[in-house]
Amino acid sequence: MGRVVGIGQSLMRRWIYNGLLPWRMYHQWSLPPQSSSEQRAHVVDLRSDTVTKPTRGMKKAMMEALLGDDVYREDPTVSELESRMAEITGKETALFVPSGTMGNLISLLAHCEHRGSEVLLGDLAHIFLYEQAGMAQLGGIQPHIIPTSANGTYDVSEIRMRLRDEDIHCPRTSLICLENTQNKCGGKVVPLSWIDEVGKVAHSLGIPVHMDGARLMNAAVASGDSVTRILEACDTASICFSKGLGTPVGSVVVGPQPFMYKALRIRKVLGGGMRQAGMLAAAALYSLDHMVDRLAHDHAHAQMLAQAIHEASSSSVWCRPSEVHTNIVVVEVNPDVLSPEKFCERMAMVGRGEETAVGGSIVVKVLPWACDAVRFVTHHDASTADIEAVVAKLRYVIQEVDSRET
C-alpha cells in the first residue's frame, strides 16, 4: 500500500482509537518519505539503550537454559538469577519481573498496602513522569513531589517538611523514592552521600526507601562504588537488564524476605508471573558476566558525542561534557532556531550533498527530550565507528543550523 498524503496524525490516532486503523498502517503512513540515499544509509539508533539486541553468546545461553515453571517457583535459572542478584545488591532476596515499570509498581504497592498512602519523590522521577501514574491507578497511592535539582537530587530537608502528621485529614507518608542514574536529568549518578543522608532521615522517621535503579549498573561503573554500597541505605530497589545490559526482557526487585512475599503476590495479580522464564533469566545471567564492565565503553562514547558538540562552539546547539556522567547525553538546542523535533527529523535524514561532507549517508535516530533539548543514548549496539559517524553527522548538521541563524 502506498503512502497516504494529507491525513493528519491526530485524525489517524482517532481512527486507531476507534479500531478503524491498525497500528502497522499508522506507522507506515506517518513515516516521512525516504530518498534513495536514505534507503541505503547507515542507521545509528541512539533513541535509547532499550533498542539493543541479544548477542550471539546471550542467545546461546538462552537456548541452553534449564527451565521450570517459575510461578510454582521451580525454574532453576530464575532461582539462580535471583540468588545472584541478592548477593550483588546485599539484600536478602530478589524477584525476577518482566519490566522496570512493573518492578517499581510492585515495590510501591508492597510498601504502601493501604489505599490513600503517600509517596515522596522527585518531580523529575521516572516513576512520577513516565509510568502512567500506576501507583494512583492501581494502588490509590498519592505522589507528593519534591523539586529535583540538575544533579538528580532533591533537598533532604524537604522530607521532614513534607512529612504528614498523624491527622485524620491527611494521607500517611509511607515511602520515599530515589532514582540512580537519574534519567530525566541526563543519566546523572546521584552522590552516594546524598543517598545515605536520605536513608538516615527516612529511617529515623520509620519510612522505607525504594531505589528506581533502572540503570544502577551504569551508576556503579561510573562511580566505582559497588552496587551493595550504593543500596546500603535503601530498603528495596528495582534494577533493569533490558537497557545497557542488553537483554531482551527483564528486571529484578531486591529487598528483605517479608517484603518479597508481598511482592510475589503482587507480581501475580499484575500478570507478571511467567512460566518457563529461565530463557529470559539466562540472558540476564549472561549480562552480569559479560555486559557490566563494558558499560564504561558506552560512557566513553557519550563523552565523544558531548565533546564534539561542545567543541563546535555553536550558539544554537550545545552540551556540557561535565554534565554527562554515563551513557545519556542531553543536547540543548535553541528552539527559536530549530525545535527539538525538527532537530531530530534533520538527524534522521540525509541532506543534499551531505554524503560527501560526512563520508557517507548517515541516519541518526534520537528523541526530543524537552522543549529545548534532545536526548542521545549510547549502548552496546553502537560501536566506536558508529559514534564517529554520528560525530561527523552532528558537526555537519550543527554548521547547517548555525548558518540559518546568521
Side-chain angles (χ1 to χ4, degrees):
M1 181 180 292
R3 298 179 187 276
V4 176
V5 180
I7 298 179
Q9 291 205 2
S10 60
L11 177 59
M12 287 196 286
R13 290 193 184 102
R14 191 156 61 246
W15 286 355
I16 292 166
Y17 182 80
N18 292 321
L20 301 176
L21 178 66
W23 270 107
R24 176 179 56 79
M25 290 187 179
Y26 168 74
H27 286 299
Q28 179 183 352
W29 291 355
S30 60
L31 287 172
Q34 291 184 316
S35 66
S36 59
S37 61
E38 286 178 273
Q39 291 171 359
R40 65 175 184 268
H42 176 55
V43 178
V44 184
D45 193 341
L46 299 181
R47 290 172 298 169
S48 176
D49 44 11
T50 59
V51 302
T52 51
K53 306 292 194 303
T55 64
R56 182 175 299 177
M58 187 179 289
K59 290 178 181 178
K60 183 175 185 291
M62 294 171 72
M63 292 300 296
E64 295 176 353
L66 297 175
L67 304 178
D69 190 324
D70 184 49
V71 174
Y72 291 136
R73 308 303 282 154
E74 294 175 355
D75 190 300
T77 310
V78 172
S79 296
E80 181 184 351
L81 173 64
E82 291 173 346
S83 296
R84 185 145 175 216
M85 284 304 295
E87 181 181 358
I88 288 172
T89 59
K91 302 304 178 187
E92 287 182 4
T93 187
L95 181 68
F96 188 49
V97 300
S99 71
T101 294
M102 184 181 283
N104 284 331
L105 180 58
I106 286 171
S107 300
L108 267 67
L109 295 177
H111 282 297
C112 306
E113 295 183 86
H114 302 290
R115 296 182 70 85
S117 296
E118 187 170 77
V119 172
L120 297 180
L121 73 171
D123 63 346
L124 298 182
H126 192 279
I127 292 173
F128 178 66
L129 292 178
Y130 299 122
E131 297 184 9
Q132 210 181 106
M135 69 172 88
Q137 284 201 63
L138 302 179
I141 303 166
Q142 175 170 286
H144 190 157
I145 57 174
I146 304 173
T148 305
S149 301
N151 69 349
T153 68
Y154 49 76
D155 188 345
V156 178
S157 66
E158 292 281 348
I159 295 174
R160 292 187 185 276
M161 293 173 61
R162 294 168 187 266
L163 180 71
R164 299 291 190 163
D165 295 326
E166 185 56 43
D167 187 303
I168 61 170
H169 301 90
C170 300
R172 287 182 169 132
T173 306
S174 301
L175 182 66
I176 295 169
C177 291
L178 315 177
E179 184 178 335
N180 195 17
T181 63
Q182 215 295 337
N183 178 33
K184 188 64 177 177
C185 292
K188 294 293 194 302
V189 179
V190 298
L192 188 59
S193 59
W194 179 78
I195 299 172
D196 289 343
E197 189 178 359
V198 171
K200 183 178 180 180
V201 171
H203 295 145
S204 72
L205 299 170
I207 302 172
V209 176
H210 173 70
M211 171 76 78
D212 175 1
R215 294 183 176 88
L216 189 62
M217 296 301 181
N218 290 86
V221 168
S223 67
D225 296 313
S226 70
V227 173
T228 297
R229 178 64 187 89
I230 294 172
L231 294 179
E232 192 174 284
C234 301
D235 298 272
T236 59
S238 175
I239 303 167
C240 285
F241 296 105
S242 58
K243 294 185 170 66
L245 298 184
T247 75
V249 175
S251 294
V252 294
V253 174
V254 297
Q257 190 67 53
F259 165 90
M260 206 56 68
Y261 179 68
K262 292 188 287 185
L264 178 64
R265 288 184 57 84
I266 295 167
R267 184 186 74 171
K268 177 62 178 173
V269 78
L270 293 178
M274 299 177 286
R275 299 297 178 174
Q276 288 71 37
M279 293 184 70
L280 300 174
L285 284 166
Y286 181 92
S287 75
L288 292 175
D289 291 331
H290 301 281
M291 307 295 278
V292 175
D293 291 342
R294 61 144 308 279
L295 291 173
H297 296 294
D298 297 342
H299 302 171
H301 288 161
Q303 279 296 322
M304 286 174 61
L305 293 175
Q307 289 289 347
I309 296 165
H310 177 69
E311 290 168 5
S313 300
S314 170
S315 58
S316 305
V317 182
W318 61 93
C319 180
R320 302 173 186 86
S322 62
E323 295 294 307
V324 178
H325 292 184
T326 53
N327 67 322
I328 298 176
V329 183
V330 175
V331 178
E332 297 179 74
V333 299
N334 182 350
D336 294 332
V337 178
L338 193 69
S339 71
E341 291 77 14
K342 290 296 183 183
F343 182 86
C344 293
E345 288 177 13
R346 178 61 189 88
M347 291 295 293
M349 64 172 286
V350 179
R352 183 173 298 174
E354 180 182 321
E355 293 178 68
T356 303
V358 303
S361 298
I362 311 296
V363 165
V364 182
K365 295 183 179 181
V366 287
L367 287 180
W369 198 232
C371 62
D372 59 354
V374 172
R375 188 185 77 164
F376 292 64
V377 185
T378 57
H379 52 78
H380 175 264
D381 290 4
S383 66
T384 300
D386 289 331
I387 300 302
E388 289 171 347
V390 173
V391 165
K393 172 92 171 186
L394 272 168
R395 286 173 175 154
Y396 182 86
V397 170
I398 289 172
Q399 281 186 335
E400 186 178 85
V401 172
D402 284 344
S403 67
R404 294 186 190 183
E405 190 175 24
T406 58

